[in-house]
Amino acid sequence: MPTVWLVIALLALSGLGFVLGRNRALASAGGNAKALHSLPAYYGHNVAFSALVPALAVLAIWSLAQPMVIENRVSAMIPAELVPENSTLGLVMSDVRRLAEGLDLAVEQGVLSPTDARNLDSGETDIRARLGEIGVALGSDVRPEVLTAAQSYRSLANKGQIIMSVIVGLLAMVGFAWAYGRTHKDFRARNVVEQGIMALLILAASLAILTTVGIVFSMLFESINFFGLHAWSDFFFGTTWAPNFRGDSDLSILPLLWGTLYISAIALLVAVPVGLFAAIYLSEYASGTTRAFAKPLLEILAGIPTIVYGLFALLTVGPLLVKFFGQGEDGILGVEWMSGATSVLTAGLVMGIMLIPFVSSLSDDIINAVPQAMRDGSLGLGATKSETIRQVVMPAALPGIVGAVLLAASRAIGETMIVVMGAGAIAKFSLNPLESMTTITTRIVSQLTGDTDFASPETLVAFALGLTLFVLTLGLNVLALYIVRKYREQYD
């Protein structure tokens, strides 16, 4: 909450700066706006931005850096001999953070006074029970070293919050005073404001690149740690996925990659024909009324949460497939090829339904972008409407359609909830679409779920899987760009 009030104060100071800066500029020109170098609003914006932007930048950087600094300092206070035998320092720090947050909540709700929170003794007070009264659940009784570390954590966080507030406030006031002092009728406020806005736009454009670079390097460093503990040859060329947190593990990506590609292929076999045919109908045959009704209805599918698709796969599509392929003589086909509701076909069919709007919407936009003159020329030469679509419109729209398909493929490869609930959790090689399999994304979730040891290869393998998945989808995007550019030259 103090951070929220600090931001509100900065916004108020910024608004005050705008008014005072504008009025000072007008006063320096004797109230004649035409005597100013820039419009009066630019002088106000200059003062407002000078007070707000540097202070907010420091606030954001401090808020990101402070938890990491406190984490390092507090973790250094915990001797290695106090870490339980079946635990790690990371798990102990997780308990410390949870307890510190619980103490903060207890102080906010008045259950504990600030003094009591600082002076708690685990030997005299049942801290777990007291925090449980306000909805803070602790997994075990609070050990003395955890309580001491949590109290140090809270103390450092509070001191850091006070120091940050002072520095940010002083910086805002200095920026305010400096910009206000420079304000006069000959000051080139417009140039300064526009340069500042340009810098902010460049920073905003760079955030996407910096975020991608940060994600890649974080996965890369953790993947290097993994390959320091596990043979890369087994990861890339092994044939078994059998993680074991208590012993040797077989951690090969190939069974997971096979399941990922198999399910994605089935999804594309469903989504591409249906989505493409729907796009052709909506763009070339449907009336305006039909298009206005059908296209939004089709795109509603894109707004459905994937967890809903997962439930649809588990509770509807899976049991329906079992009725056809899994009940023996009591089933519709009289065969027993399917043992449960989860299978490659279940996940693939539902994922294909989810991808239909992606393929349809993008393909429809691309087909509509084909110049009408190309259609008119084909029809004028005697071609029928269907011949015009096949021989003129579709070849011209091919780059965009390929891009839509590859985008759908990337979406399918990265999908998680549908395969978690509809495909099963068995990593194996099989061509039978009625058997359960698993995917890379499912295993990433599984390996990182719960209190895990981030120093073990069974956990670090999730980062190697994520990096491989990133390279795979990046390759699809590069391939799409190559194909689009190659065919675009043919029709431009």
Side-chain angles (χ1 to χ4, degrees):
M1 288 301 292
T3 302
V4 175
W5 288 112
L6 183 59
V7 172
I8 293 175
L10 290 176
L11 293 175
L13 181 63
S14 176
L16 178 63
F18 175 82
V19 174
L20 294 180
R22 182 179 181 277
N23 292 342
R24 181 180 174 88
L26 287 172
S28 68
N32 183 12
K34 294 181 179 180
L36 297 174
H37 172 273
S38 308
L39 292 174
Y42 281 108
Y43 296 91
H45 286 139
N46 177 55
V47 178
F49 290 160
S50 297
L52 181 65
V53 174
L56 281 182
V58 171
L59 176 61
I61 295 172
W62 194 293
S63 298
L64 292 174
Q66 177 174 298
M68 293 184 288
V69 174
I70 294 176
E71 183 99 1
N72 290 334
R73 291 193 60 180
V74 173
S75 61
M77 300 177 184
I78 303 176
E81 58 270 15
L82 293 182
V83 178
E85 182 178 353
N86 296 325
S87 183
T88 63
L89 182 59
L91 296 179
V92 173
M93 285 304 302
S94 177
D95 293 337
V96 169
R97 288 192 300 272
R98 192 179 300 115
L99 178 57
E101 292 169 0
L103 292 175
D104 287 336
L105 183 61
V107 172
E108 288 180 9
Q109 295 187 4
V111 176
L112 293 174
S113 67
T115 303
D116 291 339
R118 288 193 300 268
N119 299 326
L120 277 178
D121 187 339
S122 60
E124 300 176 358
T125 308
D126 189 353
I127 301 174
R128 184 181 181 187
R130 296 189 67 175
L131 293 182
E133 295 175 358
I134 58 173
V136 178
L138 300 178
S140 60
D141 292 333
V142 178
R143 301 190 305 274
E145 65 273 12
V146 173
L147 177 59
T148 302
Q151 290 170 333
S152 299
Y153 192 101
R154 292 185 66 249
S155 176
L156 291 172
N158 291 333
K159 290 179 181 177
Q161 183 72 34
I162 294 172
I163 297 172
M164 179 189 70
S165 300
V166 172
I167 292 177
V168 169
L170 288 176
L171 186 60
M173 295 300 296
V174 169
F176 179 96
W178 178 70
Y180 185 77
R182 298 174 66 196
T183 302
H184 55 83
K185 65 184 182 66
D186 296 324
F187 179 65
R188 300 176 178 271
R190 182 187 63 191
N191 298 356
V192 174
V193 170
E194 289 181 348
Q195 289 174 1
I197 292 176
M198 179 65 70
L200 290 177
L201 293 176
I202 293 174
L203 177 62
S206 303
L207 282 179
I209 300 174
L210 295 176
T211 301
T212 303
V213 171
I215 292 173
V216 171
F217 275 103
S218 65
M219 291 191 298
L220 181 61
F221 293 144
E222 296 297 343
S223 297
I224 292 174
N225 293 335
F226 166 72
F227 289 120
L229 300 173
H230 191 84
W232 65 269
S233 57
D234 178 66
F235 179 77
F236 287 110
F237 302 110
T239 58
T240 305
W241 173 267
N244 182 7
F245 285 90
R246 297 184 179 179
D248 294 335
S249 300
D250 293 319
L251 302 172
S252 172
I253 193 176
L254 291 183
L256 309 181
L257 184 61
W258 170 250
T260 300
L261 297 178
Y262 197 0
I263 293 173
S264 299
I266 293 177
L268 292 177
L269 287 176
V270 174
V272 172
V274 176
L276 187 56
F277 291 158
I280 293 172
Y281 171 74
L282 290 175
S283 61
E284 300 295 326
Y285 291 103
S287 64
T289 303
T290 303
R291 177 182 172 83
F293 171 77
K295 188 171 183 180
L297 195 63
L298 183 64
E299 291 180 347
I300 287 177
L301 292 174
I304 298 177
T306 55
I307 184 66
V308 176
Y309 282 111
L311 292 173
F312 177 64
L314 182 64
L315 302 178
T316 303
V317 177
L320 183 62
L321 291 176
V322 170
K323 289 183 180 180
F324 278 90
F325 303 108
Q327 294 183 342
E329 296 180 356
D330 297 330
I332 296 177
L333 299 181
V335 295
E336 196 166 357
W337 296 339
M338 193 172 177
S339 59
T342 57
S343 68
V344 172
L345 187 60
T346 302
L349 288 175
V350 177
M351 192 184 300
I353 295 173
M354 182 198 69
L355 294 176
I356 288 174
F358 288 90
V359 178
S360 174
S361 181
L362 291 175
S363 299
D364 178 62
D365 293 339
I366 293 299
I367 292 173
N368 281 323
V370 175
Q372 184 62 35
M374 298 181 69
R375 297 179 176 85
D376 295 340
S378 176
L379 295 172
L381 292 173
T384 64
K385 191 172 185 64
S386 61
E387 290 172 340
T388 299
I389 294 172
R390 291 198 312 270
Q391 300 176 12
V392 177
V393 176
M394 294 305 295
L398 182 61
I401 293 173
V402 171
V405 172
L406 291 176
L407 177 63
S410 298
R411 180 73 177 83
I413 290 173
E415 175 54 38
T416 304
M417 289 310 303
I418 293 177
V419 293
V420 166
M421 303 184 72
I426 302 175
K428 63 180 179 181
F429 294 100
S430 175
L431 289 173
N432 186 357
L434 301 178
E435 293 183 355
S436 296
M437 290 189 194
T438 191
T439 64
I440 294 176
T441 53
T442 303
R443 291 297 94 195
I444 291 175
V445 173
S446 176
Q447 299 308 113
L448 295 177
T449 300
D451 290 334
T452 54
D453 181 7
F454 274 80
S456 68
E458 290 78 15
T459 301
L460 292 174
V461 69
F463 296 96
L465 293 174
L467 186 61
T468 306
L469 194 65
F470 172 80
V471 172
L472 182 61
T473 54
L474 179 63
L476 285 175
N477 292 335
V478 172
L479 178 62
L481 282 175
Y482 170 76
I483 294 175
V484 166
R485 290 178 179 176
K486 178 179 178 181
Y487 283 90
R488 179 174 293 166
E489 293 176 355
Q490 182 176 351
Y491 295 104
D492 278 350

mmCIF file of all heavy atoms in Angstrom, residues 116-146:
data_model
loop_
_atom_site.group_PDB
_atom_site.id
_atom_site.type_symbol
_atom_site.label_atom_id
_atom_site.label_comp_id
_atom_site.label_asym_id
_atom_site.label_seq_id
_atom_site.Cartn_x
_atom_site.Cartn_y
_atom_site.Cartn_z
ATOM 1 N N ASP A 116 4.858 -6.463 18.625
ATOM 2 C CA ASP A 116 4.709 -7.908 18.839
ATOM 3 C C ASP A 116 5.280 -8.700 17.668
ATOM 4 O O ASP A 116 5.897 -9.757 17.856
ATOM 5 C CB ASP A 116 3.236 -8.253 19.018
ATOM 6 C CG ASP A 116 2.671 -7.717 20.331
ATOM 7 O OD1 ASP A 116 3.480 -7.454 21.238
ATOM 8 O OD2 ASP A 116 1.432 -7.539 20.417
ATOM 9 N N ALA A 117 5.062 -8.208 16.445
ATOM 10 C CA ALA A 117 5.569 -8.920 15.277
ATOM 11 C C ALA A 117 7.091 -8.958 15.267
ATOM 12 O O ALA A 117 7.692 -9.952 14.836
ATOM 13 C CB ALA A 117 5.051 -8.251 13.993
ATOM 14 N N ARG A 118 7.724 -7.878 15.781
ATOM 15 C CA ARG A 118 9.184 -7.852 15.822
ATOM 16 C C ARG A 118 9.746 -8.721 16.935
ATOM 17 O O ARG A 118 10.852 -9.246 16.811
ATOM 18 C CB ARG A 118 9.688 -6.414 16.000
ATOM 19 C CG ARG A 118 9.516 -5.532 14.774
ATOM 20 C CD ARG A 118 10.313 -4.245 14.935
ATOM 21 N NE ARG A 118 9.875 -3.473 16.094
ATOM 22 C CZ ARG A 118 8.937 -2.526 16.037
ATOM 23 N NH1 ARG A 118 8.343 -2.257 14.889
ATOM 24 N NH2 ARG A 118 8.584 -1.863 17.125
ATOM 25 N N ASN A 119 8.991 -8.893 18.020
ATOM 26 C CA ASN A 119 9.517 -9.565 19.201
ATOM 27 C C ASN A 119 8.938 -10.954 19.423
ATOM 28 O O ASN A 119 9.062 -11.508 20.530
ATOM 29 C CB ASN A 119 9.250 -8.710 20.447
ATOM 30 C CG ASN A 119 9.919 -7.345 20.358
ATOM 31 O OD1 ASN A 119 10.989 -7.205 19.793
ATOM 32 N ND2 ASN A 119 9.260 -6.329 20.923
ATOM 33 N N LEU A 120 8.274 -11.530 18.420
ATOM 34 C CA LEU A 120 7.707 -12.863 18.578
ATOM 35 C C LEU A 120 8.792 -13.887 18.884
ATOM 36 O O LEU A 120 9.917 -13.809 18.379
ATOM 37 C CB LEU A 120 6.976 -13.280 17.299
ATOM 38 C CG LEU A 120 5.531 -12.797 17.107
ATOM 39 C CD1 LEU A 120 4.999 -13.260 15.764
ATOM 40 C CD2 LEU A 120 4.628 -13.309 18.226
ATOM 41 N N ASP A 121 8.419 -14.864 19.716
ATOM 42 C CA ASP A 121 9.327 -15.944 20.063
ATOM 43 C C ASP A 121 8.608 -17.254 19.759
ATOM 44 O O ASP A 121 7.523 -17.519 20.295
ATOM 45 C CB ASP A 121 9.716 -15.867 21.538
ATOM 46 C CG ASP A 121 10.800 -16.872 21.899
ATOM 47 O OD1 ASP A 121 10.951 -17.857 21.154
ATOM 48 O OD2 ASP A 121 11.483 -16.658 22.911
ATOM 49 N N SER A 122 9.199 -18.070 18.886
ATOM 50 C CA SER A 122 8.530 -19.319 18.500
ATOM 51 C C SER A 122 8.373 -20.264 19.674
ATOM 52 O O SER A 122 7.520 -21.153 19.654
ATOM 53 C CB SER A 122 9.339 -20.010 17.392
ATOM 54 O OG SER A 122 10.651 -20.305 17.845
ATOM 55 N N GLY A 123 9.173 -20.118 20.727
ATOM 56 C CA GLY A 123 9.039 -20.993 21.873
ATOM 57 C C GLY A 123 7.920 -20.601 22.803
ATOM 58 O O GLY A 123 7.443 -21.405 23.599
ATOM 59 N N GLU A 124 7.476 -19.334 22.714
ATOM 60 C CA GLU A 124 6.446 -18.848 23.631
ATOM 61 C C GLU A 124 5.074 -18.716 22.956
ATOM 62 O O GLU A 124 4.062 -18.672 23.648
ATOM 63 C CB GLU A 124 6.865 -17.480 24.188
ATOM 64 C CG GLU A 124 8.180 -17.507 24.957
ATOM 65 C CD GLU A 124 8.594 -16.121 25.400
ATOM 66 O OE1 GLU A 124 7.872 -15.176 25.061
ATOM 67 O OE2 GLU A 124 9.647 -15.991 26.069
ATOM 68 N N THR A 125 5.045 -18.632 21.639
ATOM 69 C CA THR A 125 3.792 -18.353 20.931
ATOM 70 C C THR A 125 3.574 -19.383 19.837
ATOM 71 O O THR A 125 4.509 -19.774 19.128
ATOM 72 C CB THR A 125 3.845 -16.944 20.300
ATOM 73 O OG1 THR A 125 4.204 -16.010 21.308
ATOM 74 C CG2 THR A 125 2.496 -16.578 19.696
ATOM 75 N N ASP A 126 2.337 -19.827 19.720
ATOM 76 C CA ASP A 126 1.968 -20.729 18.617
ATOM 77 C C ASP A 126 1.686 -19.865 17.385
ATOM 78 O O ASP A 126 0.545 -19.494 17.108
ATOM 79 C CB ASP A 126 0.743 -21.564 18.999
ATOM 80 C CG ASP A 126 0.470 -22.650 17.975
ATOM 81 O OD1 ASP A 126 1.151 -22.660 16.919
ATOM 82 O OD2 ASP A 126 -0.436 -23.480 18.203
ATOM 83 N N ILE A 127 2.756 -19.519 16.672
ATOM 84 C CA ILE A 127 2.633 -18.593 15.544
ATOM 85 C C ILE A 127 1.767 -19.194 14.442
ATOM 86 O O ILE A 127 0.965 -18.501 13.816
ATOM 87 C CB ILE A 127 4.030 -18.246 15.008
ATOM 88 C CG1 ILE A 127 4.860 -17.625 16.122
ATOM 89 C CG2 ILE A 127 3.939 -17.310 13.813
ATOM 90 C CD1 ILE A 127 6.302 -17.383 15.739
ATOM 91 N N ARG A 128 1.914 -20.473 14.215
ATOM 92 C CA ARG A 128 1.148 -21.115 13.147
ATOM 93 C C ARG A 128 -0.343 -20.993 13.389
ATOM 94 O O ARG A 128 -1.119 -20.685 12.468
ATOM 95 C CB ARG A 128 1.547 -22.592 13.056
ATOM 96 C CG ARG A 128 0.888 -23.348 11.916
ATOM 97 C CD ARG A 128 1.318 -24.802 11.929
ATOM 98 N NE ARG A 128 0.721 -25.541 10.837
ATOM 99 C CZ ARG A 128 0.811 -26.861 10.690
ATOM 100 N NH1 ARG A 128 1.510 -27.567 11.580
ATOM 101 N NH2 ARG A 128 0.230 -27.459 9.670
ATOM 102 N N ALA A 129 -0.775 -21.182 14.633
ATOM 103 C CA ALA A 129 -2.200 -21.084 14.960
ATOM 104 C C ALA A 129 -2.692 -19.650 14.841
ATOM 105 O O ALA A 129 -3.792 -19.390 14.328
ATOM 106 C CB ALA A 129 -2.458 -21.625 16.357
ATOM 107 N N ARG A 130 -1.897 -18.699 15.291
ATOM 108 C CA ARG A 130 -2.318 -17.298 15.252
ATOM 109 C C ARG A 130 -2.440 -16.808 13.814
ATOM 110 O O ARG A 130 -3.361 -16.072 13.467
ATOM 111 C CB ARG A 130 -1.327 -16.426 16.033
ATOM 112 C CG ARG A 130 -1.280 -16.769 17.512
ATOM 113 C CD ARG A 130 -0.473 -15.754 18.298
ATOM 114 N NE ARG A 130 -1.127 -14.437 18.320
ATOM 115 C CZ ARG A 130 -0.668 -13.406 19.026
ATOM 116 N NH1 ARG A 130 0.435 -13.552 19.759
ATOM 117 N NH2 ARG A 130 -1.290 -12.252 19.000
ATOM 118 N N LEU A 131 -1.509 -17.211 12.959
ATOM 119 C CA LEU A 131 -1.608 -16.806 11.560
ATOM 120 C C LEU A 131 -2.727 -17.553 10.843
ATOM 121 O O LEU A 131 -3.333 -17.037 9.903
ATOM 122 C CB LEU A 131 -0.272 -17.041 10.845
ATOM 123 C CG LEU A 131 0.900 -16.170 11.307
ATOM 124 C CD1 LEU A 131 2.142 -16.474 10.484
ATOM 125 C CD2 LEU A 131 0.550 -14.690 11.205
ATOM 126 N N GLY A 132 -2.999 -18.770 11.298
ATOM 127 C CA GLY A 132 -4.102 -19.522 10.696
ATOM 128 C C GLY A 132 -5.445 -18.862 10.931
ATOM 129 O O GLY A 132 -6.376 -19.016 10.130
ATOM 130 N N GLU A 133 -5.565 -18.092 11.998
ATOM 131 C CA GLU A 133 -6.815 -17.400 12.296
ATOM 132 C C GLU A 133 -7.145 -16.327 11.257
ATOM 133 O O GLU A 133 -8.310 -15.968 11.081
ATOM 134 C CB GLU A 133 -6.731 -16.755 13.683
ATOM 135 C CG GLU A 133 -6.598 -17.766 14.825
ATOM 136 C CD GLU A 133 -6.391 -17.071 16.157
ATOM 137 O OE1 GLU A 133 -6.325 -15.821 16.161
ATOM 138 O OE2 GLU A 133 -6.286 -17.775 17.179
ATOM 139 N N ILE A 134 -6.132 -15.815 10.573
ATOM 140 C CA ILE A 134 -6.376 -14.768 9.568
ATOM 141 C C ILE A 134 -6.207 -15.318 8.149
ATOM 142 O O ILE A 134 -6.100 -14.559 7.181
ATOM 143 C CB ILE A 134 -5.420 -13.567 9.774
ATOM 144 C CG1 ILE A 134 -3.956 -14.020 9.697
ATOM 145 C CG2 ILE A 134 -5.693 -12.900 11.093
ATOM 146 C CD1 ILE A 134 -2.969 -12.860 9.733
ATOM 147 N N GLY A 135 -6.189 -16.649 8.020
ATOM 148 C CA GLY A 135 -6.173 -17.260 6.695
ATOM 149 C C GLY A 135 -4.805 -17.502 6.106
ATOM 150 O O GLY A 135 -4.688 -17.798 4.919
ATOM 151 N N VAL A 136 -3.745 -17.389 6.902
ATOM 152 C CA VAL A 136 -2.395 -17.662 6.425
ATOM 153 C C VAL A 136 -2.028 -19.078 6.832
ATOM 154 O O VAL A 136 -1.848 -19.360 8.028
ATOM 155 C CB VAL A 136 -1.379 -16.654 6.997
ATOM 156 C CG1 VAL A 136 0.034 -16.993 6.510
ATOM 157 C CG2 VAL A 136 -1.761 -15.240 6.585
ATOM 158 N N ALA A 137 -1.924 -19.977 5.862
ATOM 159 C CA ALA A 137 -1.662 -21.388 6.150
ATOM 160 C C ALA A 137 -0.171 -21.670 6.034
ATOM 161 O O ALA A 137 0.445 -21.393 4.997
ATOM 162 C CB ALA A 137 -2.442 -22.280 5.177
ATOM 163 N N LEU A 138 0.407 -22.183 7.100
ATOM 164 C CA LEU A 138 1.808 -22.595 7.104
ATOM 165 C C LEU A 138 1.864 -24.111 7.108
ATOM 166 O O LEU A 138 1.097 -24.782 7.811
ATOM 167 C CB LEU A 138 2.538 -22.035 8.322
ATOM 168 C CG LEU A 138 2.566 -20.494 8.439
ATOM 169 C CD1 LEU A 138 3.278 -20.087 9.727
ATOM 170 C CD2 LEU A 138 3.251 -19.871 7.233
ATOM 171 N N GLY A 139 2.795 -24.674 6.334
ATOM 172 C CA GLY A 139 2.844 -26.127 6.190
ATOM 173 C C GLY A 139 3.333 -26.855 7.417
ATOM 174 O O GLY A 139 3.047 -28.038 7.579
ATOM 175 N N SER A 140 4.076 -26.184 8.293
ATOM 176 C CA SER A 140 4.621 -26.844 9.483
ATOM 177 C C SER A 140 4.818 -25.799 10.571
ATOM 178 O O SER A 140 4.630 -24.600 10.345
ATOM 179 C CB SER A 140 5.959 -27.528 9.147
ATOM 180 O OG SER A 140 6.900 -26.574 8.688
ATOM 181 N N ASP A 141 5.174 -26.281 11.749
ATOM 182 C CA ASP A 141 5.449 -25.355 12.847
ATOM 183 C C ASP A 141 6.655 -24.482 12.496
ATOM 184 O O ASP A 141 7.569 -24.896 11.773
ATOM 185 C CB ASP A 141 5.733 -26.134 14.131
ATOM 186 C CG ASP A 141 4.489 -26.838 14.643
ATOM 187 O OD1 ASP A 141 3.383 -26.342 14.349
ATOM 188 O OD2 ASP A 141 4.628 -27.877 15.311
ATOM 189 N N VAL A 142 6.646 -23.269 13.042
ATOM 190 C CA VAL A 142 7.690 -22.297 12.721
ATOM 191 C C VAL A 142 8.930 -22.589 13.550
ATOM 192 O O VAL A 142 8.887 -22.580 14.786
ATOM 193 C CB VAL A 142 7.187 -20.862 12.979
ATOM 194 C CG1 VAL A 142 8.294 -19.857 12.685
ATOM 195 C CG2 VAL A 142 5.957 -20.580 12.128
ATOM 196 N N ARG A 143 10.037 -22.836 12.862
ATOM 197 C CA ARG A 143 11.300 -23.070 13.550
ATOM 198 C C ARG A 143 11.932 -21.735 13.935
ATOM 199 O O ARG A 143 11.705 -20.714 13.277
ATOM 200 C CB ARG A 143 12.252 -23.873 12.662
ATOM 201 C CG ARG A 143 11.691 -25.224 12.241
ATOM 202 C CD ARG A 143 12.777 -26.080 11.576
ATOM 203 N NE ARG A 143 13.387 -25.374 10.453
ATOM 204 C CZ ARG A 143 12.911 -25.365 9.222
ATOM 205 N NH1 ARG A 143 11.763 -26.013 8.951
ATOM 206 N NH2 ARG A 143 13.533 -24.733 8.249
ATOM 207 N N PRO A 144 12.744 -21.711 14.979
ATOM 208 C CA PRO A 144 13.338 -20.436 15.436
ATOM 209 C C PRO A 144 14.138 -19.718 14.355
ATOM 210 O O PRO A 144 14.048 -18.503 14.220
ATOM 211 C CB PRO A 144 14.231 -20.868 16.607
ATOM 212 C CG PRO A 144 13.622 -22.138 17.092
ATOM 213 C CD PRO A 144 13.066 -22.824 15.887
ATOM 214 N N GLU A 145 14.946 -20.477 13.576
ATOM 215 C CA GLU A 145 15.763 -19.816 12.559
ATOM 216 C C GLU A 145 14.902 -19.216 11.446
ATOM 217 O O GLU A 145 15.237 -18.170 10.871
ATOM 218 C CB GLU A 145 16.779 -20.798 11.962
ATOM 219 C CG GLU A 145 16.198 -21.955 11.179
ATOM 220 C CD GLU A 145 15.848 -23.152 12.045
ATOM 221 O OE1 GLU A 145 15.845 -22.986 13.287
ATOM 222 O OE2 GLU A 145 15.601 -24.227 11.489
ATOM 223 N N VAL A 146 13.760 -19.856 11.148
ATOM 224 C CA VAL A 146 12.854 -19.320 10.129
ATOM 225 C C VAL A 146 12.196 -18.036 10.632
ATOM 226 O O VAL A 146 12.061 -17.054 9.896
ATOM 227 C CB VAL A 146 11.797 -20.369 9.741
ATOM 228 C CG1 VAL A 146 10.742 -19.758 8.811
ATOM 229 C CG2 VAL A 146 12.461 -21.562 9.070
#
